[in-house]
Structures are given as structure tokens and as C-alpha cells.
Amino acid sequence: MLIIGPPGSGKGTQAERISARLGVVAISTGDIFRAHVEGASPLGVKAKKYMDSGDFVPDSVTNKMVRDRLSQSDVSGGFLLDGYPRTAAQVDYLDEVLAEACQKLDAVLQLTTEDEELVTRLLRRAKETGRSDDTETVIRHRLDLYHEQTEAVVARYAERGILTTVDGMGSVDEVTNRAVLAGPRQLSRD
Ligand code: AMP
């Protein structure tokens, strides 16, 4: 399963809850990049300048990282990808990786939230966590990229008939409940 939403839509929090419900591993490309930046690995050094300016890390780098992560043994029972794919080229790449592994996507969940609410939330988060990509200019750039590139990704999954869109406004519990009610049937099993 995939979870897609603009920055600040709460997709990381929902990904944790939903993956726990499904009993699958949650994989956040943003978290993997941040861990590499923190550890100053060669990948982290490469990714940092893109992340700090709110740009996408190049597809070649991101795709390879995702391929490596999806080849690990803990994903054999399924996975929830958070923050990937974000570009059309990443959609094609993920299709290839999954086809090679004889796997397929069951569901894609999109969280929607108004831009101004996202900016408010992210500026609040900046005060709490000091994330270097949570300044207003960078936040607005990340939102623009979402509209310019990632909405086209969402459209691809809508065409395939596997997309559920859920309103991301409201409390964390409200959004989880909406996802459980509207999302793939595996989510509503107790
Ligand atoms: P996130 O925590 O998902 O907002 O991701 C933080 C940052 O990591 C993004 O602003 C990008 O710089 C980078 N990133 C995460 N996922 C991707 C991706 N799928 N493609 C390119 N860059 C990514």
C-alpha cells in the first residue's frame, strides 16, 4: 500500500497507525533520508542539499534507495510506503521493482488538506522540532512541487482504480477513522 499527501498532511503519523493495523512495515523515504543525513553517510551528504531547499532528491538516488529497502526480508509480508513515489518516473520504477518481485499494489491512500492549513501546521512543527526544511519559503516550495508533480502520480493510481482519497483535516483519530471506513477492506478488519 502507498500513502500520499502534501507535506504536513499527517501522512507519517497515519502511516504508522495504518501499517500497525495491517501488520506490515511502514517505510518513509523522508525518514530514511533524514537518518542518512544524521549519520553523514555518502547518501546523506548527497541528499542534504536537496532536502534543505525543499527539492526532490534526484530519482536515480531515491529509486536505488527504495529498491534496496524493498529487497529486505521484513517487507515480504507487505509494506506501506510513505512519501514514495512522488514523480511520474518513480511510479514507473516502482512498477518495475514490484513486477520483478511478482508483487502488486493493493491500495493507495491520498490525504488532502488545504495549503494554508499545511503552512500553519508546518510552521508549528518547525518550532517544535527545528527541521531544517520547515521554513516558510521551503514549505511553499515543497507544496508547489506536490501540486506540480505528485498530483499527477495520484492521478495515475486513480486511473488504475486503487485510489482512496480521505480528508486530512481534523484530529489524528478522526483522519484514521475516515481512512479505515473509506480505505481498502483489509483496513477495516479487526
Ligand atoms: P518527507 O519527510 O516525506 O516530507 O520528505 C522530506 C524530504 O526528503 C523531501 O522534501 C525530499 O527532499 C526528500 N524525499 C523524500 N521522499 C522523496 C522522494 N520520493 N523523491 C524525492 N525526494 C524525496
Side-chain angles (χ1 to χ4, degrees), residues 38-78:
E38 202 133 301
S41 74
L43 177 59
V45 171
K46 236 186 258 173
K48 187 175 182 339
K49 64 173 190 286
Y50 299 100
M51 295 174 77
D52 282 350
S53 53
D55 285 321
F56 290 156
V57 177
D59 285 341
S60 55
V61 176
T62 308
N63 286 341
K64 182 176 182 314
M65 183 181 85
V66 169
R67 178 185 282 274
D68 290 347
R69 182 63 187 87
L70 291 182
S71 69
Q72 289 171 21
S73 57
D74 61 343
V75 301
S76 60

Side-chain angles (χ1 to χ4, degrees), residues 73-93:
S73 57
D74 61 343
V75 301
S76 60
F79 58 84
L80 173 54
L81 258 179
D82 156 13
Y84 182 96
R86 271 161 142 112
T87 66
Q90 291 180 9
V91 174
D92 294 335
Y93 191 82

